[in-house]
Amino acid sequence: MVVKVGIINYSVGNLGSLINAFRRVGGEVQLIGPENPHLVRSVDALVLPGVGAFDAAVKYLSQIVDYINEAVSSIPILGICLGLQLMFEGSDEGVLRGLSWYKSWVKRINGPRVPHIGWDLVRVVRPCPILTNDDYYYFMHSYAVINPGGEVPYSGITKYGNDQILSVLCDEDRLVFGVQFHPEKSSRAGLEVLRRFLSLSRK
């Protein structure tokens, strides 16, 4: 069964590797933007990708945010890197409010090197259907939710310096998921995350 995947196109950066990764795991990709927001209602899963800056992405999403909010709890939604950060109230990277689906703030990381680039361990602390085992994934970011509290439904963390970075968000009740790493750049383990995400649309 082919799963129709809608990827929000912020019109910045290259989505080619993400598109190819979803196609490899059985996804039929549809790019969605202000010119065709109604397509959110016709896809089986929705992705907020990890390209661009926070405020620029918020401004872009403001043109289609009603459609995106409507999709919550209806179809699986995956935020990748910046896409995950947009689900929170705001970010130190900008001044605009995020989607505010979750009550926390995105902060500049304080690890040994900023940005945090390269492979790092994601430790699963709570069960999540998109990621069940500890493994290494590829990160590329300067901001993250740090030391997430109980109000955030996180299931994976990554230690960076003295901080615990929220690396996997898992809200099964609302069908909302997020990863701070880039699954499309994370080889076998990353493709498995995308495959598991798509499988949720068939349930």
Side-chain angles (χ1 to χ4, degrees), residues 58-144:
V58 169
K59 289 178 181 178
Y60 187 88
L61 289 181
S62 68
Q63 304 173 78
I64 56 175
V65 68
D66 290 344
Y67 289 88
I68 294 173
N69 285 331
E70 182 183 282
V72 175
S73 301
S74 299
I75 58 174
I77 299 175
L78 177 67
I80 296 174
C81 195
L82 173 64
L84 165 63
Q85 296 169 18
L86 290 167
M87 296 176 179
F88 293 92
E89 295 175 296
S91 172
D92 287 350
E93 186 182 14
V95 298
L96 299 180
R97 300 290 288 182
L99 293 169
S100 297
W101 293 349
Y102 303 101
K103 292 184 178 181
S104 194
W105 198 266
V106 178
K107 298 179 180 179
R108 185 172 173 83
I109 59 176
N110 297 302
R113 293 182 304 277
V114 179
H116 174 203
I117 299 177
W119 294 81
D120 216 329
L121 177 66
V122 173
R123 185 164 63 88
V124 177
V125 295
R126 296 189 182 99
C128 183
I130 68 168
L131 193 153
T132 58
N133 301 306
D134 297 0
D135 213 329
Y136 283 84
Y137 298 87
Y138 189 82
F139 289 79
M140 186 169 55
H141 66 112
S142 299
Y143 298 85

Side-chain angles (χ1 to χ4, degrees), residues 43-64:
V43 297
D44 304 310
L46 188 65
V47 178
L48 303 178
V51 293
F54 193 89
D55 277 3
V58 169
K59 289 178 181 178
Y60 187 88
L61 289 181
S62 68
Q63 304 173 78
I64 56 175

Side-chain angles (χ1 to χ4, degrees), residues 23-40:
R23 287 174 175 165
R24 287 183 64 184
V25 297
E28 179 184 294
V29 175
Q30 173 68 63
L31 295 180
I32 298 176
E35 70 282 1
N36 57 2
H38 60 281
L39 291 180
V40 171

